[in-house]
Amino acid sequence: LATVPGLLPLVCIDIAYYRGAMHAGIMTDEKRQRYEDHIRLLERIADGRVKLGAGDPGQSSDGGAVFSAGTRRITRGSMSGGF
């Protein structure tokens, strides 16, 4: 995608937050529920039942992938002290 849909970073952050909470032993029902909701959403996106709302449907793709990274927002130092 030329532009990352605003929803995807939020989903990724919540999933990472869940995994960190699980590892740190500070899991809550809310964290678990948000994780499960996002996994179901990603499954619906993969099945084509939910559209991301990005990109022009008239454009074709060669099937390749492009990865880029900006500044890290979650680091080992920022995670110290728990959630």
Side-chain angles (χ1 to χ4, degrees):
L1 299 172
T3 303
V4 176
L7 174 68
L8 286 182
L10 300 174
V11 169
C12 294
I13 289 167
D14 275 349
I15 290 172
Y17 192 65
Y18 166 84
R19 293 185 54 100
M22 189 171 58
H23 177 72
I26 53 173
M27 182 57 59
T28 66
D29 286 337
E30 179 185 359
K31 290 176 184 128
R32 180 192 48 77
Q33 187 62 54
R34 289 175 68 100
Y35 169 81
E36 291 174 357
D37 289 346
H38 288 317
I39 293 298
R40 282 192 295 275
L41 173 63
L42 292 173
E43 289 169 346
R44 290 192 306 267
I45 291 169
D47 291 346
R49 293 181 285 163
V50 172
K51 301 291 182 208
L52 289 174
D56 180 353
Q59 294 178 329
S60 63
S61 170
D62 63 2
V66 176
F67 296 93
S68 63
T71 304
R72 291 181 66 180
R73 294 179 187 205
I74 299 176
T75 65
R76 189 174 303 236
S78 71
M79 297 297 284
S80 66
F83 290 66

